[in-house]
């Protein structure tokens, strides 16, 4: 009888130990997958945020080049047109990067990214109107557009800063 009870206790103990081992391995595997997913998400977000900020700077540079050409002494419509064409590619890159931020999240970064997109679009549209009018008329129209362009450029600085701050929070790089 003692042998049977001993065998039963040994069997139950072995099964219990095996179950604990399986449960521990399963928990460890879940934690490892969660950690890998978090690293992947953070890397995706970092790439999206960096691309968005780089595209913002690229679009910014393209538009200031147009403004500089329009204000340059002796500059003419062919130079204006060449500079203006560069803004089309810069806008496409900016829009693509903006969409990546909207997907990468989190919601707070997507919302602040959308605010930046709206501010850049307002500035971009003033620039488009200015460049088209100048090219069409052969006149720089500095008095008509330059002040509005510069005011919109200043207005976008707040959303740029807000996006950078939100990105740092989302990536947990605030120290």
């Amino acid at each position: 009888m003692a042998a049977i009870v001993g065998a039963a206790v040994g069997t139950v103990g072995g099964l219990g130990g095996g179950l604990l081992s399986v449960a521990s391995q399963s928990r460890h595997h879940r934690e490892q997958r969660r950690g890998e997913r978090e690293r992947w998400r953070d890397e995706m977000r970092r790439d999206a945020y960096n691309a968005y900020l780089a595209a913002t700077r690229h679009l910014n540079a393209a538009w200031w080049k147009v403004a500089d050409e329009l204000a340059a002494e002796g500059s003419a419509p062919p130079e204006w047109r060449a500079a203006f064409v560069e803004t089309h590619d810069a806008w496409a890159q900016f829009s693509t990067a903006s969409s990546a931020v909207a997907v990468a999240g989190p919601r707070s970064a997507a919302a602040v990214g959308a605010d930046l997109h709206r501010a850049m679009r307002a500035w971009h549209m003033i620039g488009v109107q200015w460049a088209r009018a100048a090219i069409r008329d052969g006149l720089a129209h500095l008095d008509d557009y330059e002040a509005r362009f510069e005011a919109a450029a200043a207005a976008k600085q707040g959303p740029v800063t807000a996006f950078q701050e939100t990105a740092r929070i989302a990536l947990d790089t605030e120290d």
Side-chain angles (χ1 to χ4, degrees):
M1 185 61 137
I4 293 174
V5 171
V9 168
T11 302
V12 170
L15 286 174
L19 287 174
L20 285 175
S21 177
V22 167
S24 176
Q25 287 176 354
S26 178
R27 187 180 77 239
H28 175 71
H29 186 64
R30 279 192 310 274
E31 289 173 4
Q32 186 177 9
R33 282 192 319 216
R34 184 179 16 227
E36 289 171 2
R37 185 184 184 295
E38 288 174 1
R39 280 188 295 281
W40 169 81
R41 183 203 60 214
D42 289 348
E43 184 178 323
M44 177 192 56
R45 285 179 176 171
R46 189 175 12 267
D47 291 348
Y49 301 164
N50 284 336
Y52 194 37
L53 290 169
T56 300
R57 299 295 181 216
H58 181 71
L59 181 59
N60 189 61
W63 272 114
W64 283 113
K65 182 177 180 181
V66 171
D68 289 346
E69 285 294 336
L70 288 165
E73 194 73 29
S75 182
E79 290 90 5
W80 304 340
R81 186 177 291 106
F84 180 51
V85 166
E86 291 179 30
T87 66
H88 296 294
D89 289 338
W91 180 259
Q93 289 173 357
F94 173 78
S95 292
T96 299
S98 176
S99 295
V101 167
V103 170
R107 282 186 180 94
S108 59
V112 175
D115 292 343
L116 173 55
H117 190 273
R118 281 188 291 278
M120 291 295 288
R121 180 166 173 69
W123 187 53
H124 176 76
M125 293 312 297
I126 291 168
V128 167
Q129 293 167 359
W130 185 13
R132 285 182 179 163
I135 292 165
R136 179 191 65 234
D137 300 341
L139 301 170
H141 292 288
L142 295 177
D143 293 339
D144 299 333
Y145 291 97
E146 190 174 33
R148 288 177 41 217
F149 183 81
E150 289 180 6
K156 71 182 174 55
Q157 293 310 309
V160 169
T161 301
F163 179 75
Q164 290 171 331
E165 290 172 4
T166 303
R168 284 192 305 271
I169 291 167
L171 295 172
D172 196 24
T173 59
E174 279 292 310
D175 287 332

